[in-house]
Amino acid sequence: MSTETGRTGFWRDVLGRLRGWRTVDIVVAAVIGVAVGVVFWLWNIVWSVTTPLFVGFPPAQAAVYGMWLISGVLGGLVVRKPGAALLTSIAASLVSAVLGTQWGVMVIIDGTLQGLLPELVFLAFGYRRWGMGAAVLAAAAAGLSPAVRDNIVYNVTWPLHFQLVYGVIVVISSAVIAGVGARLLTTALARSGALAPFPSARG
């Protein structure tokens, strides 16, 4: 009975947070998405330019992949409302697609998946834990999407050990760049006073 009561309380709290969205939450999530979407577009260029450097061992290029996974984690950490990670990630992917990318509209599908996975991690914590551990775990979860999908869609001709190494490096890169990076950026923004309307203003 106590377990059922706990579950009911958990979902009641999550739904309460979902209904607590404000206009400023939507605007800031969108702004973060747009800003990161521009970074994504620039990172597309970085990826293309650095590709020849990894011709000897292509999976190693995944070390820089994590930047593409920061939007959902950052949006979740800043806004701290159900759906913020997903909304921010989709917005970033839309901007990247509009600006132009070698992957076309597929980036929108990728952005949706890469926002949904960290969203599930934040949900598992009841939207109550926002420390470094939660950020790294959310980012690592986001990395699972390209770790699997890229090997199926883009790296299908690679030997299995290349694919496995690529997947592991993507997840690690995501945890470090998107997880640690987003957590540190949130702290810096909080200290600057930019997050005054949000609970994340406390860091």
Side-chain angles (χ1 to χ4, degrees):
M1 186 69 175
S2 61
T3 302
E4 293 181 0
T5 302
R7 289 177 180 173
T8 301
F10 174 88
W11 288 110
R12 184 182 295 114
D13 184 55
V14 169
L15 289 174
R17 293 172 184 273
L18 182 61
R19 288 193 292 267
W21 272 85
R22 304 165 298 171
T23 301
V24 67
D25 297 325
I26 299 172
V27 171
V28 169
V31 168
I32 292 173
V34 170
V36 176
V38 174
V39 174
F40 283 178
W41 178 75
L42 294 172
W43 210 248
N44 294 340
I45 299 173
V46 172
W47 182 271
S48 297
V49 170
T50 58
T51 297
L53 301 177
F54 300 94
V55 65
F57 188 62
Q61 190 176 13
V64 300
Y65 204 108
M67 183 62 70
W68 278 319
L69 300 163
I70 197 170
S71 58
V73 182
L74 182 60
L77 292 177
V78 170
V79 179
R80 301 190 178 182
K81 295 284 176 62
L86 181 58
L87 173 60
T88 306
S89 188
I90 291 175
S93 66
L94 285 169
V95 170
S96 181
V98 169
L99 291 176
T101 168
Q102 57 267 50
W103 297 285
V105 296
M106 295 302 294
V107 297
I108 300 174
I109 297 174
D110 291 333
T112 301
L113 292 172
Q114 293 162 15
L116 179 61
L117 291 173
E119 190 73 58
L120 292 176
V121 172
F122 293 136
L123 171 62
F125 289 136
Y127 297 97
R128 288 181 174 275
R129 293 181 59 182
W130 308 101
M132 185 64 78
V136 169
L137 186 57
L144 293 175
S145 174
V148 174
R149 190 175 177 281
D150 285 5
N151 281 325
I152 294 174
V153 177
Y154 304 114
N155 307 333
V156 66
T157 60
W158 284 3
L160 180 60
H161 68 284
F162 271 32
Q163 294 181 351
L164 292 174
V165 171
Y166 177 86
V168 170
I169 295 177
V170 166
V171 172
I172 294 174
S173 175
S174 180
V176 173
I177 298 177
V180 176
R183 180 60 258 181
L184 294 177
L185 182 56
T186 301
T187 300
L189 290 171
R191 288 176 177 170
S192 73
L195 303 182
F198 302 94
S200 52
R202 295 188 293 271

